Amino acid sequence: MKSLMKRLVFAVALCGMVVSMVAQDKVESTVQADIVSQYVWRGQDLGDVSLQPTLGLAYKGVSLTAWGNIGLSDPGDAKEFDLTLAYKIGGLNIGVTDYWFNTPNDRYFSYAAHKTSHVFEANVGYDFGPVAMQWYTNFAGNDGLNKNGRRAYSSYFELGAPFSLAGCEWGASVGFVPYATSFYADAEGFAVTNVSLKAVKDIRVTRSFSLPLFAAVSVNPSTEKAYFVFGLTLRP
């Protein structure tokens, strides 16, 4: 009961922070949805054709973002609901994400050890301009296990480089898992799990509306899998 009360107090405090942000000037909002031919995350196949909505608020470097995924072609695909609280100043960014999936437990407010479907992750990164780097580590929840069957504190590191070419905005990235964990396709140790190249192009529909289309090729050398994903973004 005390644990539940603590979570309720935290939720109320979080809502209060959001309301305070909304009350200020120059608050930025994000409302959009991606439709993708396949849900590929950090070199892992998580589902087929999917709808991925985003709702977010940002103010003076602080942002709160909700993101979700639901399968459109296969009802059996995992449903996902993520909340991210982040802060950015200059090239530095830090954040905490609460990932929730409808398996192994389809109750959102279930936080019991070894039963919860939540995964809590911390991240830190820096954007140098030509190259950006990001480190992610799970610190609680339904994390993967290491070779000894203990919590792995599963981690992932990625380097990314944006560039413009032939009328498109491109992004190249390489990501790896630094040590053994069952969370990332049963990586048995250091493993390169994601090498990707993505291109985005805005297709103008009217003078005031354009439709961003994107395509990405992703290769996972660790599992010897390759993916080709196409998608579009809907926003006001």
Side-chain angles (χ1 to χ4, degrees):
M1 185 68 179
K2 290 182 178 179
S3 178
L4 178 60
M5 288 300 296
K6 289 180 180 179
R7 294 191 184 101
L8 289 175
V9 170
F10 173 76
V12 171
L14 191 61
C15 290
M17 184 192 71
V18 174
V19 171
S20 176
M21 288 169 56
V22 173
Q24 303 296 326
D25 293 331
K26 297 182 180 179
V27 174
E28 298 179 358
S29 63
T30 300
V31 180
Q32 66 179 50
D34 292 340
I35 299 175
V36 295
S37 60
Q38 187 176 9
Y39 179 17
V40 177
W41 181 74
R42 298 179 185 175
Q44 299 186 93
D45 179 6
L46 299 187
D48 294 328
V49 180
S50 300
L51 175 67
Q52 300 175 339
T54 301
L55 176 64
L57 289 172
Y59 176 69
K60 290 189 174 180
V62 179
S63 63
L64 180 63
T65 305
W67 185 92
N69 180 86
I70 183 169
L72 296 178
S73 60
D74 185 355
D77 283 346
K79 296 179 176 61
E80 182 177 349
F81 176 35
D82 307 336
L83 292 172
T84 299
L85 180 63
Y87 178 67
K88 181 179 181 181
I89 179 169
L92 176 67
N93 70 86
I94 57 175
V96 176
T97 297
D98 172 7
Y99 297 93
W100 178 83
F101 302 88
N102 64 328
T103 56
N105 189 335
D106 63 359
R107 292 180 297 162
Y108 183 85
F109 293 102
S110 175
Y111 296 95
H114 311 298
K115 294 182 180 180
T116 184
S117 292
H118 290 267
V119 179
F120 298 92
E121 176 190 80
N123 71 276
V124 60
Y126 198 90
D127 187 349
F128 295 93
V131 177
M133 62 181 186
Q134 201 79 27
W135 180 281
Y136 306 87
T137 294
N138 296 342
F139 62 88
N142 188 29
D143 189 14
L145 304 177
N146 60 23
K147 295 179 179 179
N148 298 321
R150 298 178 180 177
R151 176 186 293 277
Y153 294 97
S154 306
S155 297
Y156 175 81
F157 180 75
E158 186 170 271
L159 291 171
F163 59 96
S164 299
L165 179 67
C168 294
E169 296 301 317
W170 296 75
S173 62
V174 57
F176 63 83
V177 176
Y179 43 79
T181 173
S182 60
F183 191 79
Y184 290 102
D186 294 324
E188 297 182 354
F190 177 90
V192 178
T193 60
N194 183 31
V195 180
S196 66
L197 182 65
K198 179 180 180 179
V200 181
K201 185 175 181 61
D202 286 346
I203 305 300
R204 183 171 296 280
V205 179
T206 68
R207 289 184 178 181
S208 59
F209 177 74
S210 60
L211 189 64
L213 303 179
F214 58 88
V217 174
S218 178
V219 177
N220 186 331
S222 177
T223 59
E224 300 185 3
K225 299 290 183 64
Y227 311 99
F228 184 31
V229 178
F230 173 80
L232 56 89
T233 301
L234 301 175
R235 63 169 66 101

